[in-house]
């Protein structure tokens, strides 16, 4: 049986498997093509070095590909630089925690083997054993590293130190735990003569998994060799652990049970530099990975990357790079030519005299990035399109007026992102441009009037990431969005369409700039934006629009140097808050990570003083900080409202912004007043009349419903099974039987070690795994993942604050998962004796057809659904909230035809006001509570803690009702008569084929009324 320590080691090694798959994606996509640059490492590579280690290659997303390409270039170029600058007779390049990285083979392939350069890979013995086994099957790599030799080293070996496991004249593979420094010293000094040997250590996201003190000891140990270099690449959190990207990253690694043990101590580049300087390294240079990218990657190489894989969501790439440090250290004064000498960190500005208070509210329909947005009818916000898991085109109305209705007609244009929508006169709005893929821009434009979209004049050329704004007279102007556009400025009017404006003192072609425009003066300011050479614009411009002319001026000299650095951003937003103040929000800086305190800046236009700390970063409970990327911000009254935005945080997960209100009123949570209306099945446009003798029409979406508690009884009140059937089952209403002794499971199953030992750490289970806190079967916002039971349990029992992914096990048959129902006592024999049904319910042991075990991580809501069979749900570990609705509510809960699962995303967070006319019951189950759920009662569950429960389903209808031969291992397939009825309805709808549409609707509605009469 594996120990917890063994499992932890395996998890750390598992990060290698994920990393190497991403690097294989880069190899197949980029390295297979000729890339620019004179060095061989950037030439086309014909040997696929990662192929032996990745059985099933996957193409990663563009941001992951570019991120790993940059990581590998940083390490590769440093290795080359160190070898080229070495004056020693022997160079030993040691990869600490090497994983399956093939850096030695790449170098030797490109440069040839040499008697003065030896590569040494060191990692856990198990991992090195796997690596050696794969190498010995790969002739291309064996030919590169040379003939195998034997090294006679008489050193004590152990489980964690197996010494040299493969040796050639140019390559050694050593299996040794990196905490065993004495053993490593003996081994290296036995093999190599130290006096004229350069030791170059590399650690690419490896030693950060070690305990911090052990990693620090390793760094100090490496400096004790006479000629030594060190290249470190690992995560940092320059703005602290609460910054949204950092938060997502830390949760990801904590969820994997591979926490980044050094990052909370060495949060910044300067911390890492001091870390090495204080441990024997005489010369240290360090920067974040994006500074390396801008310094060492040429424009030609960047163009090559774009030619292979178009990519324009630069913010996500920059955020990734700025959460990684690349550090070079030397025991001599030898510098690196690849990194800046100075440490660049974001400037801290003078704090604002008055700051905004942040409050937020989760509105799932606004969770999109790079959507278009504008103020709609003065006090609401209109969001259109954007990207979630795909591009969209739909409108979302964000309003504080609960009487508002969603009345927009369906959008007739293509789904898009990076476009704009702007007010055009009093009651019109114009949507322009955007893109499909990064290299597939759009030039169409559409006008929204009276809730309908009408196509208007096309733009002269495609534009995306452009700025649009409205003058006091209702004219719409566009700036930027296409490096090759003949005129950066366009004006729109309804008669003549788009007209280019002439420019005086032209501003360079920019994409993703921030414009603050004052309609009262027809003037504004331009901050940041990306230039065609891929660098961020560092100049600041003012402009005035006069008739068909734009007069601009470079006013950079009016700002101090810290302000200039702070305002040079890509993807920021800017707006006037009054005649004398401009707010600049969000975006990314190529200088360094924008600190949370400086994410929102206020410019005083009287003296051009720029203030930071404009927003209070201590948010109230229930609110969260926004990630100001791909977002919109507008001013309503005196408040700033941030809506949409967020980012795919590399491979760590997505972070979506809640609707966020920044208010100068510190005593009111302003975000609570907003709702979001979208055209979905759960937000209805018309009132629905509930059939009752004295019923009044109920407006679904606006009438509050009352959630009642599920009735509770004690086990003592149920004498036997007949009493259960007569007193509880026969009433067909949920009941909780509370405080039942279900055996030793109540105590034993709380211990994850007990569960792992009993079931077996290596036993494979299939779990639902998701970034979302609410699993939705129809949306499939989760993946089915086959995991070892031990790994699954460790992930589930990780504290919620450290659990990046949500996990849920609904056990399957151990014999035939797709062919038989789950039977707990057969599928988990080692746990069977722990659980005992009380005598009044014991006959269900013989009658039930399915008994799945359910284990879930905290706060993992399970979709709203119904089962066609009756069941009892027995809570064993943790507490679980259960919401139930009677079968008569099915038409009010957004169940698509033929589906037993609702479209409602998370019914526990869904506003009661949107479920008018329903009759919900709710209870919170404690360990030992058992709830009876009758057939077809709609329900959803939300575990409040780590939760283990057990269901017993039994078929309480006549066998023929379920249908002959119908395979139903879950108990949720609808009865035969319903399926036949659906076929009849389909035939009925088709029977009106030759009838005009309005006549067809007329008669079908009459038939609907007749069907209702029969209910």
């Amino acid at each position: 049986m594996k120990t917890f320590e063994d499992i932890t080691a395996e998890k750390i090694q598992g990060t290698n498997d994920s990393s190497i798959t991403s690097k294989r994606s880069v190899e197949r996509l980029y390295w297979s093509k000729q890339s620019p640059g004179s060095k061989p490492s950037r030439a086309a590579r014909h040997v696929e070095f990662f192929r032996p280690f990745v059985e099933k290659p996957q193409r990663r997303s563009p941001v992951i590909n570019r991120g790993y390409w940059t990581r590998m270039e940083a390490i590769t170029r440093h290795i080359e630089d160190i070898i080229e600058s070495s004056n020693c007779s022997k160079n030993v390049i040691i990869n600490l925690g090497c994983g399956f990285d093939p850096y030695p083979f790449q170098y030797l392939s490109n440069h040839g083997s040499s008697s003065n350069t030896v590569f040494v890979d060191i990692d856990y013995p198990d991992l090195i054993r796997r690596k050696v086994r794969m190498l010995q099957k790969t002739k291309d790599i064996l030919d590169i590293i040379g003939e195998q030799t034997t090294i006679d080293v008489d050193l004590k070996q152990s489980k964690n130190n197996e010494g040299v496991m493969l040796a050639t004249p140019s390559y050694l593979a050593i299996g040794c735990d990196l905490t065993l420094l004495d053993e490593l010293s003996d081994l290296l000094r036995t093999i190599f003569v130290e006096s004229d040997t350069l030791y170059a250590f590399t650690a690419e996201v490896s030693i950060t998994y070690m305990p911090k003190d052990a990693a620090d000891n390793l760094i100090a140990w490496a400096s004790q060799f006479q000629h030594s270099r060190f290249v470190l690449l690992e995560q940092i959190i320059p703005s602290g652990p609460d910054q949204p990207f950092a938060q997502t990253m830390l949760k990801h690694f904590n969820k994997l049970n591979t926490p980044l043990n050094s990052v909370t101590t060495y949060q910044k580049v300067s911390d890492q530099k001091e870390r090495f300087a204080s441990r024997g390294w005489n010369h240290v240079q360090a920067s974040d990975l994006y500074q390396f990218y801008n310094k060492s990657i040429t424009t030609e190489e960047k163009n090559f990357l774009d030619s292979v894989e178009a990519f324009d969501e630069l913010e996500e790439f920059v955020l990734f790079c700025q959460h990684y440090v690349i550090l070079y250290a030397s025991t001599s004064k030898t510098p690196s030519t690849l990194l800046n000498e100075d440490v660049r960190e974001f400037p801290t500005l003078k704090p604002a005299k008055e700051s905004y208070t942040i409050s937020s509210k989760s509105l799932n329909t606004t969770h999109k990035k790079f959507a278009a947005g504008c103020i709609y009818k003065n006090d609401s916000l209109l969001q259109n399109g954007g990207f979630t898991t795909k591009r969209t085109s739909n409108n979302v109305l964000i309003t504080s007026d609960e009487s508002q209705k969603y009345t927009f007609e369906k959008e007739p244009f293509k789904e898009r992102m990076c476009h704009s929508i702007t007010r055009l006169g009093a009651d019109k709005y114009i949507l322009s441009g955007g893109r499909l893929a990064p290299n597939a821009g759009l030039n169409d434009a559409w006008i929204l009037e009276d809730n309908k979209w009408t196509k208007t004049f096309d733009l002269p050329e495609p534009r995306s990431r452009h700025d649009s704004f409205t003058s006091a007279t209702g004219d719409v102007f566009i700036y930027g969005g296409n490096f090759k556009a003949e005129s950066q400025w366009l004006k729109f009017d309804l008669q003549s369409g788009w007209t280019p404006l002439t420019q005086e003192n032209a501003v360079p072609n920019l994409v993703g700039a921030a414009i603050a425009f004052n309609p009262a003066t027809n003037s504004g300011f331009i901050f940041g934006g990306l230039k065609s050479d891929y660098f961020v614009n560092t100049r600041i411009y003012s402009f005035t629009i006069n008739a068909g002319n734009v007069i601009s001026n470079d006013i950079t000299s009016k700002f101090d140097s810290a302000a200039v650095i702070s305002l040079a951003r890509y993807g920021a937003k800017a707006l006037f808050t009054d005649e004398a103040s401009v707010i600049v929000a969000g975006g990314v800086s190529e200088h360094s990570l924008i600190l949370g305190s400086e994410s929102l800046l206020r410019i005083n236009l009287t003296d051009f003083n720029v203030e930071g700390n404009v927003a209070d970063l201590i948010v109230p409970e229930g609110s969260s900080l926004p990630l100001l990327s791909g977002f919109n911000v507008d001013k309503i009254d005196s408040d700033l409202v941030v809506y949409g935005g967020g980012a795919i945080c590399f491979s760590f997960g997505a972070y979506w912004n809640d609707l966020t209100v920044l208010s100068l009123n510190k005593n009111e949570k302003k975000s609570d007043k907003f709702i979001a209306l979208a055209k979905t099945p759960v937000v209805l446009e018309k009132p629905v009349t509930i059939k009752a003798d004295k019923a009044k029409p109920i407006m679904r979406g606006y009438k509050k419903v009352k959630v009642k508690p599920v009735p509770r009884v004690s086990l003592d009140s149920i004498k036997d099974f007949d009493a259960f059937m007569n007193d509880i089952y026969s009433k067909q209403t949920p009941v909780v039987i509370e405080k039942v002794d279900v055996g030793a499971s109540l105590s034993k199953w709380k211990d994850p070690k007990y569960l792992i030992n009993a079931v077996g750490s290596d036993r494979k289970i299939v779990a639902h795994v998701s970034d979302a806190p609410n699993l939705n079967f129809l949306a499939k916002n989760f993946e089915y993942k086959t995991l070892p039971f031990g790994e699954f349990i460790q992930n589930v029992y990780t504290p919620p604050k450290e659990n990046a992914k949500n996990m849920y096990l609904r056990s399957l048959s151990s014999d035939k998962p797709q062919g038989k129902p789950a039977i707990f006592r057969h599928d988990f024999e080692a746990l069977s004796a722990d659980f005992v049904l009380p005598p009044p319910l014991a006959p269900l042991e013989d009658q039930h057809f399915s008994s799945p075990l359910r284990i879930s991580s905290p706060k993992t809501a399970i979709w709203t659904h119904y089962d066609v069979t009756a069941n009892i749900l027995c809570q064993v570990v943790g507490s679980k909230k259960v919401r139930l609705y009677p079968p008569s509510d099915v038409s009010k809960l957004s169940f698509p035809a033929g589906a037993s699962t609702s479209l409602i995303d998370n019914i526990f967070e869904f506003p009661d006001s949107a479920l008018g006319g329903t009759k919900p019951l709710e209870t919170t189950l404690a360990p030992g509570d058992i709830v009876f759920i009758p057939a077809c009662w709609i329900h959803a569950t939300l575990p409040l803690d780590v939760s283990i429960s057990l269901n017993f389903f039994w078929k309480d209808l006549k066998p023929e009702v379920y249908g002959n031969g119908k395979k139903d291992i879950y108990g949720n397939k609808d009865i035969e008569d319903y399926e036949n009825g659906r076929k009849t309805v389909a035939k009925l709808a088709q029977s009106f084929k030759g009838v005009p549409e309005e006549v067809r609707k007329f008669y079908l509605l009459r038939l609907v009324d007749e069907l209702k009469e029969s209910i």
Side-chain angles (χ1 to χ4, degrees):
M1 186 70 66
K2 293 177 182 176
T3 66
F4 267 67
E5 290 75 17
D6 291 334
I7 294 172
T8 300
E10 285 181 358
K11 285 182 176 295
I12 294 173
Q13 295 173 58
T15 64
N16 161 75
D17 297 340
S18 174
S19 172
I20 219 73
T21 301
S22 297
K23 291 181 177 181
R24 171 67 171 141
S25 177
V26 171
E27 178 178 61
R28 298 176 73 225
L29 190 62
Y30 291 106
W31 288 359
S32 61
K33 301 173 176 63
Q34 179 68 43
S35 60
S38 58
K39 292 191 176 185
S41 61
R42 255 74 70 205
R45 297 173 184 180
H46 304 295
V47 177
E48 295 180 283
F49 297 104
F50 291 94
R51 186 174 186 175
F53 308 110
V54 181
E55 184 178 347
K56 295 181 179 179
Q58 303 174 31
R59 179 164 177 167
R60 298 299 203 198
S61 67
V63 68
I64 293 176
N65 284 332
R66 191 158 301 197
Y68 270 100
W69 183 90
T70 305
R71 267 178 58 166
M72 289 188 283
E73 289 297 316
I75 297 296
T76 300
R77 295 186 189 206
H78 273 95
I79 291 172
E80 292 172 342
D81 199 46
I82 288 169
I83 294 173
E84 288 176 9
S85 63
S86 171
N87 295 318
C88 292
S89 61
K90 178 76 77 174
N91 302 308
V92 180
I93 314 300
I94 302 173
N95 192 341
L96 302 169
C98 63
F100 291 159
D101 279 327
Y103 292 122
F105 323 132
Q106 294 165 356
Y107 182 90
L108 294 169
S109 174
N110 291 319
H111 298 271
S113 60
S114 169
S115 60
N116 71 341
T117 299
V118 179
F119 287 87
V120 180
D121 279 349
I122 304 178
D123 213 318
Y124 288 105
D126 284 348
L127 189 144
I128 290 293
R129 191 177 297 108
R130 290 168 61 199
K131 186 169 189 175
V132 168
R133 189 163 57 244
M134 293 174 188
L135 292 178
Q136 289 173 335
K137 297 177 182 178
T138 310
K139 184 179 183 301
D140 285 343
I141 295 179
L142 290 177
D143 290 343
I144 290 169
I145 63 177
E147 187 175 346
Q148 295 186 44
T149 61
T150 301
I151 294 181
D152 185 15
V153 182
D154 185 18
L155 293 175
K156 181 180 178 181
Q157 294 189 355
S158 66
K159 175 183 177 183
N160 295 321
N161 176 22
E162 296 189 13
V164 178
M165 303 174 76
L166 176 66
T168 77
S170 56
Y171 177 72
L172 300 177
I174 296 175
C176 185
D177 191 312
L178 293 176
T179 61
L180 304 177
L181 299 180
D182 290 340
E183 287 90 332
L184 273 178
S185 294
D186 293 343
L187 185 59
L188 293 175
R189 287 186 168 118
T190 302
I191 299 172
F192 304 107
V193 177
E194 184 182 345
S195 60
D196 198 29
T197 297
L198 170 70
Y199 289 98
F201 300 91
T202 64
E204 182 188 357
V205 192
S206 57
I207 66 172
T208 190
Y209 299 124
M210 299 171 65
K212 182 192 75 68
D213 290 344
D216 288 345
N217 291 338
L218 177 62
I219 291 168
W221 166 82
S223 72
Q224 294 173 9
F225 295 91
Q226 184 178 356
H227 306 287
S228 194
R229 309 280 188 273
F230 205 117
V231 179
L232 174 79
L233 192 150
E234 68 181 35
Q235 295 86 346
I236 52 174
I237 49 174
S239 195
D242 295 328
Q243 196 271 356
F245 186 100
Q247 185 186 119
T248 306
M249 178 176 74
L250 294 176
K251 282 184 177 180
H252 168 79
F253 286 103
N254 288 336
K255 174 263 168 188
L256 294 175
N257 285 330
T258 55
L260 306 176
N261 291 317
S262 296
V263 75
T264 53
T265 301
Y266 307 111
Q267 297 191 10
K268 302 178 180 180
V269 172
S270 57
D271 296 335
Q272 288 280 10
K273 188 172 181 179
E274 174 58 27
R275 179 191 196 185
F276 276 75
S278 64
R279 288 174 172 81
W281 297 91
N282 295 319
H283 178 84
V284 186
Q285 292 168 250
S287 73
D288 67 45
L289 197 55
Y290 194 67
Q291 291 169 15
F292 162 82
Y293 180 81
N294 268 346
K295 177 178 173 61
S296 296
I297 307 302
T298 66
T299 299
E300 185 184 14
E301 288 171 317
K302 293 173 183 176
N303 286 332
F304 163 71
L305 296 177
D306 274 348
S307 72
V308 174
E309 189 173 36
F311 176 68
D312 68 349
E313 292 166 53
L314 183 65
E315 293 96 327
E316 295 181 358
F317 175 61
V318 173
L319 284 169
F320 159 74
C321 287
Q322 290 177 342
H323 282 85
Y324 280 75
V325 63
I326 177 71
L327 177 146
Y328 165 87
S330 171
T331 52
S332 67
K333 297 293 184 181
T334 308
S336 166
T337 61
L338 301 168
L339 302 176
N340 296 317
E341 286 284 349
D342 60 322
V343 172
R344 290 166 49 180
E345 293 180 346
F346 206 77
T348 302
L349 301 174
K350 179 182 176 182
K353 295 176 182 177
E354 187 176 38
S355 62
Y356 290 97
T357 295
I358 293 176
S359 65
S360 64
K361 180 180 181 180
S362 180
L363 298 175
N364 288 347
T365 51
T366 68
H367 286 178
K368 305 176 183 182
K369 60 178 182 174
F370 300 109
C374 70
I375 293 178
Y376 182 76
K377 296 185 177 178
N378 299 324
D379 56 359
S380 299
L381 298 164
L382 180 62
Q383 183 192 60
N384 175 268
F387 186 92
T388 53
T389 55
K390 61 180 181 180
R391 292 184 303 277
T392 64
S393 62
N394 63 299
N395 289 332
V396 177
L397 181 63
I398 303 165
T399 180
S400 58
D401 181 359
E402 291 197 359
S403 67
Q404 280 270 22
K405 300 178 185 178
Y406 185 95
T407 54
F408 300 106
E409 289 195 352
K410 180 175 173 57
E411 300 78 12
F413 42 79
K414 294 178 180 178
E415 295 85 357
R416 66 192 63 207
M417 57 194 289
C418 304
H419 53 305
S420 69
I421 186 166
T422 315
R423 185 190 289 268
L424 176 66
D427 294 309
K428 298 184 183 72
Y429 302 84
I430 184 167
L431 179 149
S432 59
R435 70 157 175 88
L436 304 175
N439 54 0
L442 298 168
N443 70 331
D444 56 339
W446 299 78
I447 290 175
L448 177 66
E449 184 178 16
D450 295 331
N451 303 315
K452 297 179 181 179
W453 292 99
T454 305
K455 196 172 188 311
T456 186
F457 299 93
D458 285 343
L459 295 160
E461 63 280 305
R463 305 238 178 175
S464 63
R465 308 293 295 262
H466 54 284
D467 292 272
S468 64
F469 46 91
T470 308
S471 70
T473 57
D475 293 324
V476 167
F477 298 96
I478 277 182
Y479 166 76
N482 187 325
F483 292 134
K484 299 178 180 179
E486 290 187 15
S487 174
Q488 285 294 290
W489 297 89
L490 297 174
K491 175 186 174 183
F492 178 85
D493 63 62
L494 290 167
Q495 285 70 42
S496 53
W498 301 99
T499 304
L501 302 182
T502 59
Q503 303 178 68
E504 293 183 23
N505 308 321
V507 176
N509 290 358
L510 298 173
V511 170
I515 285 190
F517 183 73
N518 185 351
T521 60
N522 254 19
S523 64
F525 301 91
I526 301 174
F527 308 98
L530 198 68
K531 300 182 295 181
S532 58
D533 62 2
Y534 298 97
F535 287 95
V536 173
N537 163 50
T538 59
R539 312 305 293 176
I540 302 166
Y541 301 93
S542 65
F543 68 90
T544 301
I545 299 177
N546 185 6
N549 189 36
V550 180
I551 303 170
S552 58
N553 291 289
D554 187 329
I555 60 170
T556 311
S557 61
K558 294 180 181 290
F559 297 82
D560 64 34
S561 59
V564 172
I565 292 172
S566 301
L567 291 168
R569 305 177 177 208
Y570 175 64
K573 302 291 183 182
L575 72 168
F576 277 81
T577 53
D578 56 47
E579 293 294 320
S581 298
V582 165
I583 289 288
V584 177
V588 294
S589 165
E590 67 185 18
H591 180 275
S592 53
L593 181 72
I594 297 173
L595 303 178
S597 59
E598 315 306 316
S599 59
L600 203 71
L601 304 178
R602 181 186 286 120
I603 304 172
N604 187 329
L605 298 179
T606 58
D607 57 8
F608 294 99
N609 180 51
V610 180
E611 299 174 337
N613 281 295
V614 178
D616 184 355
L617 298 183
I618 301 176
V619 299
E621 185 176 353
S623 292
S624 59
L625 291 173
L627 180 54
L628 296 178
S629 168
F631 69 106
N632 287 292
V633 59
D634 279 298
K635 181 171 174 281
I636 294 182
D637 299 326
S638 62
D639 299 329
L640 302 180
V641 183
V642 175
Y643 53 110
I648 307 301
C649 301
F650 200 58
S651 57
F652 311 135
Y655 187 100
W656 299 107
N657 292 336
D658 292 336
L659 182 115
T660 303
V661 177
L662 294 91
S663 175
L664 295 173
N665 184 339
K666 301 186 183 304
N667 299 316
E668 184 180 356
K669 190 180 179 187
K670 291 290 191 76
S671 58
D672 282 348
K673 68 180 182 180
F674 285 97
I675 59 174
L677 304 178
K679 193 169 185 179
T680 67
V682 293
V683 180
L684 300 188
E685 302 170 275
K686 298 179 180 180
V688 175
T689 303
I690 306 301
K691 185 177 180 181
D693 291 342
K694 298 181 180 181
K696 296 180 179 179
I698 295 177
M699 182 72 79
R700 294 255 311 272
Y702 307 108
K703 185 176 177 64
K704 182 80 172 176
V705 298
K706 185 176 181 180
V707 180
K708 295 182 179 180
V710 177
R712 287 178 166 260
V713 299
S714 68
L715 184 64
D716 293 340
S717 66
I718 309 171
K719 294 181 180 180
D720 52 26
F721 187 63
D722 287 341
F724 168 76
M725 295 298 290
N726 293 330
D727 300 339
I728 294 178
Y729 170 82
S730 65
K731 295 178 182 178
Q732 289 295 289
T733 299
V735 172
V736 174
I737 307 169
E738 58 185 1
K739 300 178 182 178
V740 177
D741 182 0
V742 292
S745 57
L746 291 172
S747 59
K748 287 184 175 181
W749 292 5
K750 291 191 290 186
D751 182 359
K753 290 184 181 180
Y754 172 79
L755 292 172
I756 292 173
N757 289 333
V759 176
S761 174
D762 295 334
R763 174 174 168 178
K764 295 294 190 291
I765 55 93
V766 178
H768 302 67
V769 181
S770 178
D771 289 318
N774 50 291
L775 306 186
N776 188 302
F777 185 79
L778 292 179
K780 285 294 188 295
N781 62 344
F782 57 84
E783 61 177 325
Y784 294 108
K785 197 165 184 179
T786 301
L787 298 169
F789 184 75
E791 179 180 339
F792 170 77
I793 289 295
Q794 280 202 320
N795 285 330
V796 166
Y797 277 79
T798 301
K801 65 180 181 180
E802 299 179 350
N803 197 351
K805 285 193 183 291
N806 296 280
M807 292 198 170
Y808 165 58
L809 167 67
R810 191 272 189 205
S811 69
L812 304 173
S813 167
S814 58
D815 293 337
K816 196 174 181 182
Q818 302 303 318
K820 292 183 179 180
I823 302 296
F824 165 70
R825 301 209 183 278
H826 175 76
D827 301 331
F828 293 89
E829 292 183 16
L831 298 178
S832 178
D834 298 339
F835 181 88
V836 181
L837 276 177
L841 300 177
L844 290 177
E845 293 274 14
D846 298 324
Q847 296 186 21
H848 83 282
F849 85 96
S850 174
S851 50
L853 181 69
R854 301 179 190 270
I855 306 177
S856 58
S857 51
K859 308 290 186 182
T860 304
I862 307 303
W863 53 86
T864 304
H865 68 286
Y866 63 83
D867 300 300
V868 183
T869 52
N871 77 93
I872 57 171
L873 174 63
C874 311
Q875 190 65 19
V876 182
V877 173
S879 55
K880 177 183 286 185
K881 187 180 289 187
V882 183
R883 175 78 67 86
L884 303 108
Y885 295 83
S888 57
D889 283 348
V890 67
S891 62
K892 307 178 185 74
L893 293 173
S894 300
F895 281 83
S900 61
T901 300
S902 168
L903 287 167
I904 295 174
D905 200 30
N906 182 351
I907 206 157
F908 296 98
E909 293 182 355
F910 201 73
D912 292 339
S913 58
L915 300 173
T918 61
K919 299 172 184 177
L921 302 178
E922 190 170 284
T923 190
T924 298
L925 300 178
D929 287 350
I930 298 175
V931 61
F932 163 61
I933 304 176
C936 295
W937 268 74
I938 298 149
H939 56 284
T941 60
L942 174 64
L944 306 179
D945 323 286
V946 171
S947 173
I948 303 180
S949 54
L950 188 58
N951 278 106
F952 288 84
F953 292 90
W954 72 97
K955 295 185 176 181
D956 54 337
L957 303 177
K958 294 179 180 180
E960 58 268 23
V961 171
Y962 295 105
N964 295 324
K966 190 173 184 179
K967 180 182 175 183
D968 184 11
I969 64 173
Y970 299 107
N972 57 7
K973 289 204 173 190
D974 288 302
I975 63 174
E976 194 83 356
D977 287 342
Y978 173 70
E979 297 294 351
N980 292 335
R982 290 189 63 220
K983 294 174 184 177
T984 302
V985 169
K987 289 179 181 178
L988 184 63
Q990 290 295 319
S991 65
F992 289 89
K993 269 187 177 179
V995 178
E997 183 65 20
E998 289 304 313
V999 176
R1000 174 178 175 273
K1001 286 183 179 178
F1002 172 79
Y1003 282 109
L1004 285 175
L1005 288 171
R1006 294 209 63 196
L1007 288 171
V1008 168
D1009 288 338
E1010 290 182 40
L1011 187 60
K1012 285 181 179 178
E1013 291 297 324
S1014 66
I1015 297 176

